[in-house]
Amino acid sequence: MLNINVKTTVAAAVITLAGVSGAALADTTPHEQMQPVATSVAQILQETKDDQRVSLRGQITKQISKEKFIFTDGSGEIQLDIDDDLTAKTPINPPVEVEIIGEVDKGIVSDTEIEVKSYTLVN
C-alpha cells in the first residue's frame, strides 16, 4: 500500500513539473517576433519601460561617437546605440532617413536611449 502511494506521489510531482515547464516554454516568444510597442520618440520618452521593443521612422541627424547617434522623428530626439557590426554592413552618414527596430534602454545613470537591433536606410 505504501509503495503505491509513493509511486502516485512521484508521478503527480513529475506531471506537475512537466506542466509548469511546458507552460513556461509555451509563453516565451522569441525576441525577434515581439511586436513593437511604441512608434514615436515622444511615446518612448513618456510611456515605455526598459527593454520594450520599438519601431521608428525618422532621421539620424548626427553621429556623436562610434556607436552613438542622435535620432529625431519630429516628436522629439533620442540617442541611438547602433552596434558597429550593423554599421559595417550598412554605413550611416548623417543626416539620413531611416526605419529602425530596437529596444528601449532606460539607463540608471544615463538618459533613455534605443539599442538598435536593425535599421533600413530610406530613400
Side-chain angles (χ1 to χ4, degrees), residues 37-38 41-49 52 106:
V37 296
V41 172
Q43 188 179 15
I44 290 166
L45 294 174
Q46 294 174 4
E47 301 173 11
T48 58
K49 296 179 182 171
Q52 282 188 307
K106 295 219 178 224

Side-chain angles (χ1 to χ4, degrees), residues 76-122:
E77 283 188 346
I78 196 164
Q79 185 169 291
L80 303 179
D81 181 356
I82 306 176
D83 204 25
D84 60 354
D85 67 331
L86 292 175
T87 56
K89 294 175 189 172
T90 306
I92 295 175
N93 297 308
V96 64
E97 292 287 322
V98 294
E99 290 180 358
I100 65 169
I101 295 176
E103 283 183 354
V104 175
D105 185 8
K106 295 219 178 224
I108 295 170
V109 179
S110 62
D111 292 334
T112 299
E113 67 179 21
I114 305 300
E115 182 181 334
V116 176
K117 300 296 183 185
S118 68
Y119 65 91
T120 304
L121 301 179
V122 179

